[in-house]
Amino acid sequence: MRAGRETTMTMLIRFLSRNKPLVGLIVLMAVVAILSPSFLTVDNLLNILRQTSINAVIAVGMTYVILSGGIDLSVGSVLAFCGAVCAWLVAGDMSIWLAIPISLLLGAGLGAVNGVVIGTGGVQPFVATLVAMTMLRGATLVFTDGRPITTGSGAAADAFWSVGGGYLLGIPVPVVIAGVVFAVCGLVLTRTRFGRYTYAVGGNEVVARLSGIRVNFEKTTIYALSGLLAALAGVILTARLESAQPTAGAGYELDAIAAVVVGGTSLSGGKGTLFGTLVGALIIGVLNNALNLMDVSSYYQMIAKGAVILLAVLADSRKSP
């Protein structure tokens, strides 16, 4: 009996040591629940999940990018541009079954351009995606003329709203979409050759290339996936607000990077999981919600978020050899 308890205790300690972000999330939720009685209400928890879903979708693509040893600063601008295009199409009464795929393909194409510039062009990911971020932000302002684009009031607009504001079996649709994205991309990352190659490229690009992996093609596909998911987040946000804001998505790239890093993915590539990213996104979401419940100024919220990211980066640097 004693040996059995020791084995259980050993397994529990091993599980906790391997899932430090999850332990952090549980502790954070416990502290917030003590400080704010309204935190654990069903409405508030669903609100957290709904608000986290957009960042979580972007963070899935960012996880692939960081696992491959890169970074993508353009996701916020891709979100804004594709959201604006989608709103314009819906306002023209185009069916959402056409408008949404067109917007997603546009995002994938923009991401693929980043991948080609980085992989074939040899430009550093930070520089390439910083340029893309600036250009797409300008393109969004040109396309929208600096003004919001409303989705209108036709049949297409009504159907489109349900993507961001509707419910499916009592669960907000954006949460369902984020769950499907995590499930599908998790399977791809862990069960397919593409997922293994993503880890290999991030672990050691030279060795991956010598092993016969088409590194440039792999990078192009990874950045295309990141662009597609950023566009999906833009569609969800635009549907929820029933309009596309020209400044939408500003700072979203930092939230996505924060979710990935807080979730335990190494910034040097090759190590990390999508489960960790999910936990990281929830930590960011719970932190934002807790600070709002405690009526903390948004200025202090930025400082708190930055402190969390700094702690995660310091923890990552201690793990790295």
Side-chain angles (χ1 to χ4, degrees):
M1 180 70 77
R2 183 177 180 182
R5 283 200 299 268
E6 288 178 350
T7 302
T8 304
M9 183 62 69
T10 303
M11 291 175 62
L12 179 61
I13 293 173
R14 188 180 300 134
F15 174 80
L16 293 176
S17 64
R18 290 178 178 175
N19 294 276
K20 292 185 181 69
L22 180 61
V23 175
L25 174 62
I26 294 171
V27 171
L28 176 63
M29 291 183 68
V31 171
V32 178
I34 294 171
L35 295 176
S36 176
S38 59
F39 173 72
L40 287 180
T41 60
V42 174
D43 287 345
N44 188 55
L45 293 177
L46 285 177
N47 185 44
I48 292 173
L49 291 176
R50 184 196 288 274
Q51 291 180 343
T52 303
S53 58
I54 292 176
N55 183 35
V57 168
I58 302 174
V60 170
M62 190 67 76
T63 303
Y64 273 79
V65 170
I66 292 180
L67 281 175
S68 70
I71 198 79
D72 189 352
L73 300 179
S74 68
V75 287
S77 297
V78 172
L79 177 152
F81 186 69
C82 294
V85 170
C86 192
W88 179 72
L89 294 175
V90 173
D93 216 19
M94 178 182 282
S95 167
I96 64 171
W97 300 107
L98 279 177
I100 293 177
I102 288 174
S103 304
L104 298 185
L105 287 174
L106 176 61
L110 294 171
V113 171
N114 279 338
V116 170
V117 171
I118 294 166
T120 306
V123 179
Q124 288 294 321
F126 180 87
V127 177
T129 57
L130 180 64
V131 171
M133 178 182 76
T134 306
M135 292 179 67
L136 287 173
R137 185 60 67 186
T140 304
L141 291 171
V142 170
F143 183 75
T144 62
D145 202 19
R147 291 175 292 190
I149 298 178
T150 59
T151 54
S153 56
D158 293 341
F160 185 58
W161 173 83
S162 63
V163 176
Y167 286 82
L168 183 63
L169 301 176
I171 303 173
V173 171
V175 178
V176 176
I177 294 174
V180 171
V181 168
F182 266 94
V184 172
C185 291
L187 286 174
V188 170
L189 187 61
T190 57
R191 303 293 176 85
T192 68
R193 182 180 298 176
F194 173 68
R196 292 194 296 274
Y197 286 179
T198 300
Y199 280 103
V201 171
N204 192 319
E205 184 174 328
V206 175
V207 172
R209 200 180 294 278
L210 291 174
S211 302
I213 296 175
R214 294 183 296 169
V215 173
N216 293 347
F217 175 78
E218 189 77 15
K219 287 185 176 181
T220 301
T221 307
I222 289 170
Y223 280 91
L225 175 64
S226 178
L228 185 147
L229 292 177
L232 176 59
V235 169
I236 296 172
L237 182 63
T238 302
R240 181 178 162 192
L241 299 177
E242 298 183 85
S243 68
Q245 304 295 322
T247 56
Y252 278 31
E253 59 279 350
L254 297 181
D255 284 348
I257 293 170
V260 176
V261 175
V262 171
T265 296
S266 172
L267 279 171
S268 32
K271 297 177 183 175
T273 64
L274 276 182
F275 176 72
T277 296
L278 174 61
V279 174
L282 288 173
I283 288 175
I284 300 296
V286 170
L287 185 62
N288 286 334
N289 182 261
L291 295 173
N292 284 329
L293 288 176
M294 290 183 279
D295 202 22
V296 176
S297 163
S298 59
Y299 303 146
Y300 289 103
Q301 292 185 27
M302 295 172 66
I303 295 173
K305 195 184 302 181
V308 171
I309 298 171
L310 177 61
L311 288 174
V313 172
L314 287 174
D316 176 55
S317 64
R318 286 177 63 88
K319 286 189 298 184
S320 302

